[in-house]
Amino acid sequence: MVNTIIFDFGDVFLNKNGEAKEKALAKLGLHDWNDDLEKLEKKLETGKLDEEGFLKGIQPYTDNASLDQIRDAWNMGIADFPLYRLEFLQKLAANYRLFLLSNTDPIHMEKFEQDAGASFYSDFYQCFERIYFSHEIGYRKPAAEAFNYLINNHDIQPKRTLFVDDKKFNTDAAEALGFQVWNLQAGEEDVVDMFEKKIITQEEM
């Protein structure tokens, strides 16, 4: 019986638009997200690099774009957060221990909070027992350390915990640690359909 749910953030609650981000970066001259840029993003998402360092690291791959232009293009990947998902989460919080575990960065989180507004994001955060962003804890999924961080700090039993993420390599890693998992297919499935899809049965509430 599931008593705890760990959620990813992007493409589970917050819609993302990778295509818009790629187009915006391409307009600045950056057409190929290569291995060096991937490493740069990983450093940002694990707190080993700050915002300015990240933006300056991207700058040489652009046509002399400003840091503000790069930040704006990077944030084009952040789309909307439908209210009905927050309302679903608020109901869920009455019956389960909820946690958020997200690979993200301070640039995107600042953008989300600005767009959502203090009332909305406060209501969202309050649904969770704790929120863990990769840039704050220093670990990114699918690394086992990211999951163990929650297990060790909150007495979580993986076999009684559902992990929800849109990336299969993340749910595969969680499953290997004993978690129940739902690899949500963004664009085809919605987190609010959890009971209809029998990911968790209503009887478990």
Side-chain angles (χ1 to χ4, degrees), residues 86 116-124:
L86 172 59
S119 177
F120 187 96
Y121 75 70
S122 294
D123 286 347
F124 174 61

Side-chain angles (χ1 to χ4, degrees), residues 8 27 34 42 52 61 66 69 74 85 120 168:
D8 180 33
K27 285 183 179 179
N34 59 34
K42 184 175 182 179
E52 184 178 4
Y61 295 91
S66 70
Q69 287 176 315
W74 183 248
R85 289 184 186 153
F120 187 96
K168 189 173 186 300

Side-chain angles (χ1 to χ4, degrees), residues 51-96:
E51 175 180 340
E52 184 178 4
F54 175 71
L55 297 175
K56 285 184 174 178
I58 291 178
Q59 201 168 33
Y61 295 91
T62 69
D63 296 331
N64 202 31
S66 70
L67 299 189
D68 285 342
Q69 287 176 315
I70 297 169
R71 183 189 298 104
D72 289 344
W74 183 248
N75 279 333
M76 288 298 293
I78 302 298
D80 64 313
F81 187 143
L83 176 61
Y84 69 85
R85 289 184 186 153
L86 172 59
E87 292 171 340
F88 170 77
L89 189 67
Q90 288 171 325
K91 293 176 183 176
L92 206 61
N95 297 287
Y96 296 92

